Amino acid sequence: MADDETRTLSPAPGTMTDASIEAPTGANPDGTGTRTDGLGARTDGRAAWTTRLVLVGLVLAAINLRPAITSLGALFEEVRDGLHMNGSVAGVLTSVPPLCFAVFGIMAPRLARRFGPAVVVCAGMVAIAAGLLLRPFAGGTPGFLAASALALMGIAVSNVLMPVIVKRYFPDRVGQMTGLYSMALALGTALAAAATVPMTDVLGGSWRTGLSVWALLAVVAVLPWLLLVRDRSGRQDRQTAARAQAEEEPAFKITRSRTAWALACFFGLQATAAYITMGWMPQIFRDAGVSAGTAGVLLAVTMVMGVPLAFVIPRVATRMRNQGPIVAVLGACGLAGYAGLYFAPAAGAWAWALLLGISNCAFPLALTMIGMRSRTGTGVVRLSAFAQSTGYLISIPGPTLVGALYDRTGGWGLPIALMAGLMVPQIVVGSLAGRDRTVEDEAGMRD
């Protein structure tokens, strides 16, 4: 059987394999300039260039996966007033991101199989740029929501395919590369949160201009993916990978895996906390007497905590057989942060922002576990799509419920109590998802 698999998966002469796009580490002794990767696979200059291009594209794409959301959070009050939204409608607006991530994220594996992951991510970056440019000037709440959905559609498919691209292009550096793009994602999130309000003031004070300027960053992210799509060796690699994936397709149902369900629930609960934080935390501080600019900076502090920790946590997680202890530590920080928001939101604002920033690093941990809880490339695709799409569906009611509770009670006591309460099941299911097992084994994959 092993011989049959070797013959089946061997690429045609002149084509590239997943191993051949690893970063080069040295030249061959024959002096031909051909290099080898850490596993001894031969690579040429074009393959090395492709690898570097994927690396740049991965970082730029990650930077653009959250500004559409956190830039809106920083100017949420101005947008609400400008579009005449009440609290319930505003809560629906904060639920649009997870809804789009759930609906469009489930399409990503099928699109990737048909067009290749690089093509889909490239299209996703284009959609983000177009949506960010159109939504401030779409006119009225329906147009604003539609343009936001376009940007979020691009974010959704890219979200799902980031772990897939890491597993395919950097199979022996999953923790390191997941940490790198998670760090870039946190950097983009924090940058949008901190810079949106002052940048809006500099550009004339219009929230429409302040939101639309982030489209420029998305345009930059399109370029490396466009080059990768046009690169002949990249196309060959996608074709080879697609053939190999089709031939080694494992026969299993992801819904039969308890770990997949635990990971989906963990992803959903951490997403609930993250989007409530990004959508409502500036308003919590503003209602406590903090200025708009400072509230935006506090959100940025929360987001910027993910920059160093998003790089460290995946590397630590991949060295542990069970990631449950990391889940527990992050959850404890979240509980402490919510307690602070409840009892003294303004007095300890900086401390609560730091604690919630640490807690929000459950996101890169979840992405790392997606790569660790599956042992085949196809398994990663299925688990990523299932965990993220199901997780984002789970997270949809949270921001809306917080908005409705705030609108009805006129205060933040009950909404914050809800946030803290959701942290307990997050710790439980995260600990279950962190156990050392794979979805293929649990779902009964046939060898």
Side-chain angles (χ1 to χ4, degrees):
M1 180 176 178
D3 291 338
D4 292 339
E5 289 178 351
T6 301
R7 288 193 296 269
T8 300
L9 299 180
S10 296
T15 60
M16 292 173 58
T17 64
D18 288 347
S20 70
I21 52 180
E22 289 295 312
T25 58
N28 276 349
D30 59 12
T32 59
T34 302
R35 295 177 179 265
T36 60
D37 63 17
L39 300 178
R42 290 169 64 87
T43 64
D44 57 18
R46 179 176 290 275
W49 181 84
T50 300
T51 301
R52 289 193 290 269
L53 194 60
V54 171
L55 184 60
V56 172
L58 197 69
V59 171
L60 287 176
I63 290 174
N64 281 275
L65 293 182
R66 292 300 179 269
I69 303 166
T70 52
S71 62
L72 177 59
L75 294 172
F76 203 32
E77 184 172 314
E78 288 76 10
V79 173
R80 287 178 60 188
D81 293 342
L83 297 177
H84 308 293
M85 296 182 189
N86 59 33
S88 297
V89 174
V92 171
L93 181 58
T94 61
S95 294
V96 170
L99 176 62
C100 289
F101 292 169
V103 172
F104 297 117
I106 200 68
M107 300 164 53
R110 182 175 299 179
L111 293 172
R113 285 195 299 270
R114 181 171 182 180
F115 301 106
V119 173
V120 178
V121 174
C122 182
M125 294 299 108
V126 172
I128 294 170
L132 291 179
L133 184 61
L134 291 173
R135 76 173 178 178
F137 309 104
T141 301
F144 188 92
L145 290 173
S148 295
L150 176 61
L152 294 167
M153 176 178 65
I155 296 173
V157 295
S158 301
N159 269 338
V160 171
L161 293 180
M162 289 294 102
V164 177
I165 289 172
V166 167
K167 188 80 169 183
R168 174 174 295 181
Y169 286 86
F170 309 97
D172 298 316
R173 288 176 279 168
V174 171
Q176 179 181 355
M177 299 310 299
T178 300
L180 180 63
Y181 84 75
S182 297
M183 184 175 65
L185 189 151
L187 180 62
T189 305
L191 180 64
T196 297
V197 171
M199 187 168 54
T200 300
D201 293 338
V202 170
L203 295 175
S206 170
W207 62 266
R208 299 180 188 275
T209 304
L211 292 182
S212 62
V213 74
W214 294 104
L216 299 176
L217 187 61
V219 171
V220 174
V222 173
L223 301 179
W225 293 101
L226 191 61
L227 291 172
L228 187 64
V229 168
R230 292 171 59 87
D231 181 60
R232 184 170 179 267
S233 66
R235 292 196 299 271
Q236 289 176 335
D237 178 65
R238 289 194 302 275
Q239 293 163 2
T240 300
R243 288 196 301 269
Q245 178 175 311
E247 291 164 354
E248 67 170 358
E249 188 79 12
F252 75 96
K253 290 185 178 180
I254 194 71
T255 53
R256 293 178 179 174
S257 168
R258 294 181 180 180
T259 296
W261 280 107
L263 188 51
C265 291
F266 176 64
F267 199 98
L269 290 169
Q270 67 82 26
T272 299
Y275 288 109
I276 289 174
T277 299
M278 286 187 282
W280 289 110
M281 197 177 82
Q283 193 64 50
I284 294 174
F285 285 129
R286 291 177 73 167
D287 287 351
V290 178
S291 68
T294 302
V297 173
L298 286 167
L299 178 59
V301 168
T302 299
M303 299 298 107
V304 83
M305 287 302 298
V307 176
L309 292 178
F311 187 70
V312 172
I313 288 176
R315 294 170 67 91
V316 174
T318 54
R319 292 182 171 90
M320 301 174 64
R321 294 179 64 86
N322 189 324
Q323 290 75 45
I326 303 177
V327 172
V329 170
L330 297 180
C333 290
L335 288 172
Y338 289 132
L341 284 181
Y342 187 92
F343 291 108
W350 297 99
W352 318 143
L354 286 170
L355 286 168
L356 291 174
I358 296 172
S359 178
N360 280 348
C361 287
F363 174 71
L365 177 60
L367 293 179
T368 305
M369 287 196 288
I370 288 174
M372 297 181 67
R373 297 286 88 88
S374 50
R375 54 182 170 83
T376 64
T378 302
V380 174
V381 175
R382 291 187 178 185
L383 181 57
S384 182
F386 176 76
Q388 294 199 48
S389 296
T390 304
Y392 283 125
L393 279 175
I394 292 172
S395 72
I396 289 172
T400 303
L401 183 56
V402 166
L405 288 174
Y406 172 64
D407 208 30
R408 179 174 292 273
T409 63
W412 287 106
L414 194 55
I416 292 173
L418 172 65
M419 299 178 209
L422 291 176
M423 192 59 64
V424 177
Q426 177 179 320
I427 295 172
V428 173
V429 294
S431 298
L432 293 175
R435 296 175 298 174
D436 184 21
R437 57 197 64 195
T438 66
V439 295
E440 290 91 346
D441 292 337
E442 286 188 338
M445 188 185 82
R446 294 195 300 269
D447 292 328

